[in-house]
Amino acid sequence: MKRLLALFLISGSCLGQDYINQYTSHAEMLKQLKQLGVQTQQIGTSRSGKSIIVAQFGDKSSPAILVTGNVDGDYLVGTELAMRLIEDLKSGKVTRNGKSIFIVPMPNPDATSFILGKNGYSTTFNHLKTDDDNDLKINEDGPNDLNNDGFISQLRISDSSGLYKASEQDASLLVKVDRLKNEAGQYRLLNEGKDDDGDGKLDEDGYGGTAINKNFTYNYDYFGIGSGVNQASEPETRALIDFVIDHQNILMTVNFSKYDNLHENWLANKVLVSEYKRPLEAFDKMPKEDVDGYKLFTHLWQQAHKDWQVKAENRGQGAFHDWAYFHGGRWSIAANGWNFKQITIAQSADVEKNKEADVEKSKDASASEDTKEARLVTNAKEKNLQGAIIPWTNISHPDFVNEKVEVGGFRLAYLNNPDIGVFAETKSSEYITSLTTLFPELNVSQSVKKIGKDLYRVTLKIKNIGKLPTQSAMGKLTRWMLPVRVQWNLPKEQFIGGSKRTLLAPIAAHGGQQEIKWLINTKGFNDASFEVSSPVIDAVTQTVNFGA
């Protein structure tokens, strides 16, 4: 597989190859899925006609988890972790514990094709043609490869009033100045490009499009750049929404994303669901009852990723993981697929030199510059990652006449997508396995008492011995996660007290219990059966004997 070859290559050097080619393209994804022989289904098509594929493990109607990779579009790591999960499930490295798992490795294939295509342009947009700057022109001011090196990187413009300076650790790295310490600036920092349409702005109307992870209905950014002409306007967005709605058996979604709600959970209300008043106002916090569930999700992740430092936002605007919970009612997890602490680097020679002279000073300097960007620069140099960090070179820029302008620095795609070896130890597949052990599970006990001729009272005690409640509180509010129901095979006329079908309130995890009673006319019946079920819970079926 391409990913295994990439891991072999990066153990030494990627010299002579564009490092981004380690990542999986749409065509390569289709080829790998076919080679693996997994069950797949096309659930939609992107604006450019690329297929959106779901891989299925387990029965289509069994309690399930949905895993998505790279809804963002510029987070190639998400696709790699999703493909790794597919490989691990297929090989038996990880198990499903009887649950079904649906995996959409590349829900935003157009944006992926931009990054892996000419110039490696990093974007979240699909291929919809749009006029982002309202000048009646389409896609006329996108990024420009000004030095013709095949990559879109950065511009630095010498300016003492700028917000950036060269790092003491590595001159190729720019760091923000600390104005509170009266630090002087050296540079302004921009993305590589020029003002193609003469409106005084750089790259404000580039390739595409709509950002799929800004196009969902929750917390939608009305009239925002990249949000789309309206909510769920894009075929990629609707493909995911339709799949979730059509599969009521999905208990939770896991999204390998630039967002992360594990290290900092969503804020919670201080009131219970029963205290919410309809008509409901827009939700900006999760109900109190769901707090423990998210603490559990966080605990399981942090057990395997103890030293991670994550600064990602836990909420977006129109983002899929937010929609899946606040509108879709499913438990929804957004997890960063890698952390800069996973980049192991040798300590710099300067720090070693200063250590003996001034230990404390060198420690402070090292700590202050131990950042994601600093480690990425060092990692690129140590592994000779071609196309990751571009040497700064002078150019003549038409928009900055008589100013010193240089092209180089970070290739924009590298900031989100390091070489694959960096996240080789991410326990993402194992995490999904741990989540399959949390599903609600029902234990049902019955008692039958004769009240009179052909008249019986049946009592059921239904206990949830699983680690999550039978419904999320948000699922109850939105009515998109269905409740547990008890369904009898008797005609409805036989029920004197109670009904043929009974819907239950959410049953708490770890032994929560509900008791239900029926008064049944059993004339003509020696026994009856019932089923206790919901789409996200394995059903329990029992028989009740009358007169036994």
Side-chain angles (χ1 to χ4, degrees), residues 25-57:
S25 69
H26 183 263
E28 289 164 344
M29 176 197 72
L30 296 178
K31 181 179 179 181
Q32 290 174 22
L33 292 174
K34 184 176 181 180
Q35 290 174 340
L36 286 167
V38 299
Q39 182 177 349
T40 60
Q41 173 191 351
Q42 181 172 339
I43 62 171
T45 305
S46 73
R47 279 285 181 180
S48 71
K50 293 181 175 64
S51 56
I52 300 171
I53 301 297
V54 60
Q56 177 181 319
F57 291 85

Side-chain angles (χ1 to χ4, degrees), residues 76 111 166 201 216 223 279 307 368 377 431 446 497:
L76 305 179
K201 301 176 182 178
F216 291 86
F223 313 115
D307 298 326
S368 65
V377 168
Y431 182 65
Q446 57 173 276

Side-chain angles (χ1 to χ4, degrees), residues 73-109:
D74 61 348
Y75 196 70
L76 305 179
V77 173
T79 292
E80 298 306 314
L81 294 180
M83 291 299 292
R84 182 192 297 177
L85 174 60
I86 291 171
E87 291 179 357
D88 289 344
L89 287 167
K90 182 66 177 178
S91 68
K93 181 180 178 181
V94 297
T95 62
R96 299 183 285 108
N97 294 303
K99 302 301 183 286
S100 293
I101 300 179
F102 303 115
I103 307 165
V104 184
M106 196 177 292
N108 190 353

Side-chain angles (χ1 to χ4, degrees), residues 158-203:
S158 295
D159 185 347
S160 60
S161 65
L163 297 177
Y164 291 86
K165 66 176 184 176
S167 166
E168 295 178 5
Q169 178 181 342
D170 190 315
S172 65
L173 173 65
L174 299 186
V175 296
K176 276 196 170 182
V177 299
D178 189 340
R179 295 299 193 192
L180 296 179
K181 294 182 180 180
N182 198 31
E183 291 182 346
Q186 293 177 299
Y187 303 102
R188 304 197 307 274
L189 185 64
L190 302 170
N191 292 340
E192 184 178 2
K194 61 185 178 71
D195 182 11
D196 293 299
D197 57 358
D199 64 357
K201 301 176 182 178
L202 269 66
D203 304 345

Side-chain angles (χ1 to χ4, degrees), residues 406-417:
E406 298 168 273
V407 173
F410 280 101
R411 179 183 184 172
L412 299 184
Y414 185 53
L415 286 167
N416 288 322
N417 306 288

Side-chain angles (χ1 to χ4, degrees), residues 5-22 379-388 418-421:
L5 176 60
L7 288 172
F8 171 76
L9 289 173
I10 59 182
S11 63
S13 168
C14 287
L15 190 61
Q17 303 182 49
D18 183 355
Y19 100 95
I20 204 74
N21 289 335
Q22 300 171 27
N379 185 60
K381 292 183 175 181
E382 288 182 352
K383 294 185 177 180
N384 295 317
L385 300 180
Q386 181 172 320
D419 68 271
I420 290 179

Side-chain angles (χ1 to χ4, degrees), residues 444-451 455-462 485-488 490-492 494-504 514-522 529-532 544 546:
V444 181
S445 62
Q446 57 173 276
S447 65
V448 183
K449 182 177 181 181
K450 187 173 183 178
I451 304 298
L455 192 63
Y456 286 81
R457 184 179 300 283
V458 178
T459 303
L460 299 184
K461 292 182 179 180
I462 302 172
R485 71 175 188 176
V486 182
Q487 180 85 26
W488 290 85
L490 291 171
K492 63 181 181 180
Q494 304 302 123
F495 293 90
I496 308 301
S499 60
K500 179 182 176 71
R501 183 178 67 180
T502 305
L503 301 181
L504 306 186
Q514 288 190 29
E515 182 177 280
I516 316 152
K517 297 182 178 182
W518 291 265
L519 193 60
I520 301 175
N521 176 5
T522 64
S529 63
F530 63 85
E531 180 183 84
V532 185
V544 175
F546 303 119

Side-chain angles (χ1 to χ4, degrees), residues 72 75 77-78 81 255-263 301 305 308-313 333-340 342 372 416 423 426-428:
D72 309 271
Y75 196 70
V77 173
L81 294 180
N255 316 283
F256 295 122
S257 170
K258 291 185 297 186
Y259 294 105
D260 187 290
N261 64 357
L262 291 174
H263 290 78
W301 180 267
H305 307 92
W308 282 35
Q309 295 180 14
V310 175
K311 297 181 180 179
E313 297 291 333
I333 297 167
N336 272 179
W338 70 282
N339 186 265
F340 80 92
Q342 291 175 292
K372 167 185 169 181
N416 288 322
F423 53 92
T426 297
K427 304 297 183 183
S428 50

